[in-house]
């Protein structure tokens, strides 16, 4: 069975946001989102910080979103704002 197709575009600019692959600079934001009880209320609950850190150490930040997934960034500063909606649902299903 072949892998599902993924998007190959590296950046998707929009008027007020930029969709792009996760980068190592996004690590603190990804950890914050994955461990926050309010953010994770309907996504299986918060993950233990040590497990999130361990996962990122072992697999890298890009693995937190998955292939063909993007994070939302500020188009002017490139600052991580959060995962794209499809990324959040995918990661929730694959959380360790």
């Amino acid at each position: 069975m072949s892998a599902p197709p993924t998007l190959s575009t590296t950046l998707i600019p929009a008027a007020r946001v930029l969709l792009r692959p996760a980068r190592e600079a996004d690590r603190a934001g990804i950890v914050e989102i994955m461990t926050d009880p309010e953010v994770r209320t309907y996504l299986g609950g918060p993950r233990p910080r040590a497990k999130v850190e361990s996962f990122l150490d072992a697999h890298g930040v890009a693995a937190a979103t998955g292939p063909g997934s993007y994070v939302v960034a500020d188009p002017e500063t490139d600052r991580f704002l959060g995962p794209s909606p499809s990324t959040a649902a995918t990661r929730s299903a694959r959380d360790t």
Side-chain angles (χ1 to χ4, degrees):
M1 177 180 269
S2 63
T6 60
L7 295 172
S8 60
T9 302
T10 56
L11 300 174
I12 302 174
R16 296 190 293 183
V17 297
L18 172 68
L19 299 180
R20 61 165 174 74
R23 299 181 181 147
E24 189 58 37
D26 303 330
R27 183 184 180 103
I30 291 170
V31 170
E32 181 180 350
I33 285 173
M34 296 300 294
T35 59
D36 186 278
E38 188 175 351
V39 171
R40 301 281 306 172
T41 297
Y42 303 107
L43 297 170
R47 300 294 175 238
R49 179 173 291 276
K51 279 192 161 190
V52 174
E53 294 278 1
S54 177
F55 178 87
L56 295 176
D57 289 343
H59 303 287
V61 170
T65 57
S69 296
Y70 296 87
V71 298
V72 180
D74 181 295
E76 293 185 17
T77 65
D78 198 36
R79 186 176 67 89
F80 173 83
L81 299 175
S84 67
S86 63
T87 299
T90 302
R91 235 359 261 152
S92 179
R94 294 185 310 193
D95 277 342
T96 57

